[in-house]
Amino acid sequence: MLGIVDDPITFFGAIAVVAVFIVIILIWLKKENKIKNEMVAALSEEVRNDLKDNQVQDYDYQRNIWTQKACIGSVKDKGSKVALKLLWYNTVIQNATLYQFQYADVTMKKADFESRGLKQGSIVKMRIDPNTAKAELVW
């Protein structure tokens, strides 16, 4: 029985598929970093420093979930809902993003968004659950 290394066409085909996958991931990461950097650059120094003083609250040590402040970095109208990018400063997750700005994607009903007087640049509280890669606004 031939292995993948014994058949050059299959071998190089497999390498090509992996290379394409890596290139797609790198392009996606570059795009995500550009979005984040543009949102951070749009912040005033005062808001940037306020977010860095994130005051983590309600930290659940067993589930690794917490609440902290965030800034609405962008708002996109989706009909009856809005898609938000919440910019926050990481002082909890011990990885390459520690002490850096991050953002989380959140959707909410447009009526709730408007009734609370929220807009791009508003400071809000968000609950972060890195185990499920989810965030939500809390009131």
Side-chain angles (χ1 to χ4, degrees):
M1 182 159 161
L2 290 176
I4 192 169
V5 180
D6 296 327
D7 181 10
I9 294 174
T10 304
F11 178 72
F12 289 116
I15 288 177
V17 168
V18 171
V20 167
F21 182 70
I22 290 171
V23 167
I24 290 170
I25 289 173
L26 290 175
I27 290 169
W28 177 79
L29 285 173
K30 186 176 179 179
K31 178 184 167 203
E32 295 297 309
N33 279 330
K34 182 180 179 208
I35 291 168
K36 178 186 68 170
N37 291 338
E38 287 173 352
M39 287 189 295
V40 172
L43 297 175
S44 69
E45 191 65 30
E46 180 181 351
V47 171
R48 194 175 296 130
N49 289 334
D50 186 38
L51 290 175
K52 285 182 178 181
D53 180 27
N54 67 7
Q55 301 172 8
V56 170
Q57 300 172 337
D58 305 321
Y59 188 82
D60 182 335
Y61 288 94
Q62 291 181 330
R63 298 184 331 174
N64 195 32
I65 298 171
W66 69 93
T67 302
Q68 75 175 67
K69 62 182 136 183
C71 177
I72 299 176
S74 75
V75 180
K76 289 195 179 169
D77 191 330
K78 300 283 187 176
S80 63
K81 292 187 175 192
V82 289
L84 310 174
K85 291 198 182 298
L86 301 179
L87 194 60
W88 58 284
Y89 192 74
N90 178 23
T91 59
V92 178
I93 302 172
Q94 304 289 316
N95 64 15
T97 68
L98 187 64
Y99 304 120
Q100 294 180 20
F101 284 98
Q102 299 300 306
Y103 74 86
D105 292 311
V106 174
T107 58
M108 66 184 297
K109 293 180 183 175
K110 187 175 182 179
D112 291 342
F113 180 80
E114 292 173 346
S115 71
R116 296 183 187 275
L118 297 174
K119 62 183 186 228
Q120 186 168 335
S122 294
I123 301 294
V124 296
K125 279 196 173 190
M126 66 182 273
R127 181 171 297 116
I128 301 172
D129 182 352
N131 302 309
T132 59
K134 289 189 179 182
E136 63 183 341
L137 289 176
V138 292
W139 312 108

